Amino acid sequence: VPSSIKQVILYDGVMTTSSFRRTVLERLLPIPEGLRIQADAYIGNLAIFLAPVIAIERPLGIYRLHGKNLYFKAATDAETKRLLRRIETRREIVKGMTSWFESHEHDIRQPEIQAALLRWIILSERDEFELSPPGRIKFFRYLVKSYRYTGPLMTWKIRAVNYFNAIGALIVGYEKFHILDESREKASRWLRHDNPLSSYFRRKSLR
């Protein structure tokens, strides 16, 4: 098991061009039948609970984006079929990982294991919102869950801003959530540069 929950959160999973020790694969196979794609994600996200993972900086492969990728979806891609495939795949990854942990007598409540599963749950829910925008309460709960997941990597200031945004989501909702960040950025810019007091001190410092 990874020694730190931060290691799990920062770990992005091993995908294409991955290599595994046979002893690790023997403990992870077979691949769940429900996973038609992303088998490497299933193996890679469980491998860190069996052995250390090492990465090299030199690229050994190219991932080609051609508009018909089975899994990759650009932000501007509105194809429902691909989105549904991603959602179903991520659900199967969570289901398969959970089954593996339980069958190998891991405590599913362990923070590192919860973080490994939560990553895929959050990604799946985010895709679901594109198909069916959530209500305010559901979106609020999603944000709290998401911020709890990344919380160990954040400073207290960033955590405070994020939870302020979560509360704001109860007011503006999912589709207008971007207004909170835009308004905060405008206010921050005004406080730093545009208000009369900051302009005065800036002029004084230039003299």
Side-chain angles (χ1 to χ4, degrees), residues 65-79:
L65 307 179
H66 48 71
K68 297 296 181 180
N69 299 81
L70 290 175
Y71 182 80
F72 176 82
K73 175 186 173 297
T76 55
D77 184 358
E79 186 180 333

Side-chain angles (χ1 to χ4, degrees), residues 17 21 42 45-46 58 78 87 90 98 112 128 144 151 180 195:
T17 72
R21 289 182 180 274
Y42 167 79
N45 281 271
L46 286 174
R58 185 164 63 92
I87 293 170
R90 285 166 171 171
T98 301
E112 291 78 9
E128 290 174 25
V144 170
L180 296 177
N195 70 85

